[in-house]
Amino acid sequence: MSVVSNRGALLTLYGYTVLRGVGRSGFMILFPLYILSIGYRTSDLGEIAMIASGLMILVLPLFGYLVDHGYAAEVMFLSGLFMGGSLIIPVLNNSYPLLVVSYMISMLSLMVWSPSRNRIVGYIVTEKYMGRIYSLFIILFNLTRSLTSFTIGRTTYIGYGTLMIIIGIISLIGSFLTYVALLLSYRERSSRTTGWTGILDGYKAMISFPKSLLPLIVFSLMDSFAWRLWFPLLNSYFKEYRGLTDPEIGDYNTLMGLSMMFTAYGAGHITDLIKPLKALMIYEVIGAIGLVLLQFDYPLLMASSIFLGFSIAFWVSAYNTLITTLLGPHMVGRLRALTDSARSLAGIPSPYIGGLLMTINPVLTFILSISLMIASITPLAKLSGKISWG
């Protein structure tokens, strides 16, 4: 049996991943620096992220429903529009409400891209090799992410807003081209049906799910809360609290991206060998080590980016493999919406709390995050006893 049944669709997804590496890196670096430049602080970014998370969770189940009912290509197209819009909107109008909207659609772009891609991958890739296929997405994403981060760090002299507009336009054009390519290469197996009853079921799934999935939900809550205490604030934290220059911030993000890129295939291969739950446990431990190193000065500060990149590489391959195979590709939209809703729910207060703790002492934010990372291994261990991998 062939590893991939539709190489045209897979190549299109790879191309779109390159585009997302540019857009995502652009937002993660430029948006925090941009709002600092117009008078906000890192704690304000935490507040913006909190409000954006609360708004996003209201619409996330709708996209999960659409993915499961044959609209994966359309949802992927929207994720690209959201990515481009999140970069352009705050430059055109930097009012506080639109900064929140910008952050919300950036998060939405990240969240809805995954289930739409996972559904397509679930139908065209053999399960045995899925971890390695996902690792190739990580490699491509982080290759362009690293190049973009390095370039941004050395071109901010032309203005944060100018760079955001340029990257936003690239994202919009690339999204249109990707959608056309998917229409030519990929056809959904299921019928395209929609209805209010089905949509409401997507929302009900947020609170009514099999008890066997409870450990996964608990892990999603703990893991998201731990990482979102600091991750959305990281670049502004470097600028405000650690005094790093724009090139140094760019270099840190470049190293993190390179770490993800060079360790991705190994992480995917390990995921296929030891199964995704054990890989997720490894991810938490490596991430905790990275946060410990982050508290030191050079060169350990920069070394932390390598550990965090490796940790994220494990998460992407392991988490996506688990979500795609746990209930099958036909349910990936609903399951991803369920877990992402849990992650988003935890992410509502998390960056705000992290920002407030930083105003007291930044170390407090990272101590709390490390504690939760290690504790989140417990529900994963409980979930492993409920799953038979064959």
Side-chain angles (χ1 to χ4, degrees):
M1 181 179 177
S2 175
V3 175
V4 180
S5 63
N6 188 330
R7 294 190 180 275
L10 185 61
L11 289 174
T12 299
L13 294 180
Y14 284 152
Y16 195 48
T17 301
V18 170
L19 173 71
R20 292 188 64 80
V22 176
R24 187 65 186 163
S25 177
F27 185 87
M28 291 301 293
I29 296 177
L30 290 170
F31 185 83
L33 299 183
Y34 174 73
I35 69 167
L36 287 178
S37 73
I38 60 176
Y40 290 95
R41 297 191 60 193
T42 301
S43 56
D44 297 316
L45 177 58
E47 183 178 271
I48 289 171
M50 176 186 69
I51 298 171
S53 298
L55 294 174
M56 186 192 65
I57 200 172
L58 297 177
V59 298
L60 195 57
L62 171 62
F63 288 98
Y65 171 83
L66 291 174
V67 168
D68 283 346
H69 286 75
Y71 294 90
E74 285 74 16
V75 171
M76 187 175 294
F77 174 54
L78 286 174
S79 77
L81 297 185
F82 292 153
M83 181 169 61
S86 69
L87 286 157
I88 294 173
I89 288 173
V91 181
L92 299 180
N93 188 324
N94 60 17
S95 65
Y96 188 86
L98 286 181
L99 290 178
V100 172
V101 169
S102 176
Y103 200 97
M104 181 193 73
I105 62 176
S106 174
M107 293 178 62
L108 199 56
S109 169
L110 178 67
M111 293 292 190
V112 304
W113 143 255
S114 296
S116 57
R117 178 200 59 186
N118 290 6
R119 181 179 176 89
I120 297 173
V121 169
Y123 278 127
I124 67 176
V125 176
T126 304
E127 181 178 330
K128 180 180 178 181
Y129 297 94
M130 202 166 285
R132 276 160 279 188
I133 291 294
Y134 279 125
S135 72
L136 292 177
F137 285 114
I138 307 172
I139 292 171
L140 288 172
F141 177 86
N142 285 287
L143 174 62
T144 51
R145 175 184 174 178
S146 300
L147 293 173
T148 303
S149 299
F150 184 83
T151 302
I152 287 174
R154 284 153 181 80
T155 56
T156 53
Y157 63 87
I158 70 174
Y160 301 135
T162 301
L163 287 173
M164 291 169 74
I165 290 290
I166 292 172
I167 297 174
I169 292 174
I170 292 173
S171 298
L172 293 178
I173 294 173
S175 298
F176 279 103
L177 295 177
T178 299
Y179 182 54
V180 172
L182 273 180
L183 290 180
L184 294 175
S185 63
Y186 179 73
R187 295 290 184 274
E188 274 285 359
R189 296 184 180 185
S190 61
S191 60
R192 294 183 164 212
T193 58
T194 57
W196 287 110
T197 301
I199 294 174
L200 290 175
D201 287 342
Y203 284 90
K204 291 177 182 178
M206 292 173 56
I207 55 176
S208 59
F209 50 85
K211 291 183 178 179
S212 60
L213 295 179
L214 183 59
L216 178 62
I217 303 304
V218 173
F219 165 76
S220 298
L221 289 166
M222 296 177 66
D223 174 71
S224 179
F225 190 93
W227 281 75
R228 285 183 58 77
L229 278 168
W230 56 270
F231 195 75
L233 316 178
L234 186 60
N235 291 314
S236 58
Y237 159 78
F238 284 147
K239 186 82 168 180
E240 182 176 353
Y241 291 98
R242 302 298 291 269
L244 270 62
T245 64
D246 289 352
E248 288 171 334
I249 293 173
D251 289 346
Y252 188 94
N253 284 270
T254 299
L255 281 175
M256 186 184 295
L258 289 174
S259 174
M260 291 174 67
M261 183 180 71
F262 284 115
T263 60
Y265 192 79
H269 189 64
I270 292 171
T271 295
D272 288 334
L273 290 177
I274 68 174
K275 302 309 177 186
L277 286 173
K278 291 181 180 178
L280 284 173
M281 295 178 190
I282 294 174
Y283 138 80
E284 295 292 355
V285 173
I286 296 175
I289 294 173
L291 283 193
V292 171
L293 295 177
L294 187 65
Q295 310 313 306
F296 296 91
D297 295 325
Y298 279 78
L300 292 179
L301 171 65
M302 300 305 288
S304 70
S305 67
I306 298 173
F307 279 84
L308 292 175
F310 191 19
S311 175
I312 296 171
F314 259 113
W315 183 88
V316 174
S317 61
Y319 195 74
N320 282 295
T321 300
L322 177 64
I323 296 301
T324 305
T325 59
L326 193 57
L327 298 181
H330 63 289
M331 289 289 287
V332 69
R334 179 171 295 185
L335 182 56
R336 185 73 197 226
L338 172 61
T339 57
D340 283 349
S341 294
R343 295 178 63 80
S344 299
L345 185 64
I348 292 175
S350 185
Y352 181 68
I353 293 171
L356 286 180
L357 290 175
M358 283 185 183
T359 63
I360 302 171
N361 188 330
V363 174
L364 296 176
T365 299
F366 298 105
I367 290 176
L368 177 57
S369 179
I370 291 169
S371 302
L372 288 171
M373 284 182 185
I374 300 303
S376 69
I377 294 175
T378 300
L380 286 178
K382 291 183 178 180
L383 183 62
S384 64
K386 299 176 181 293
I387 297 175
S388 174
W389 294 102

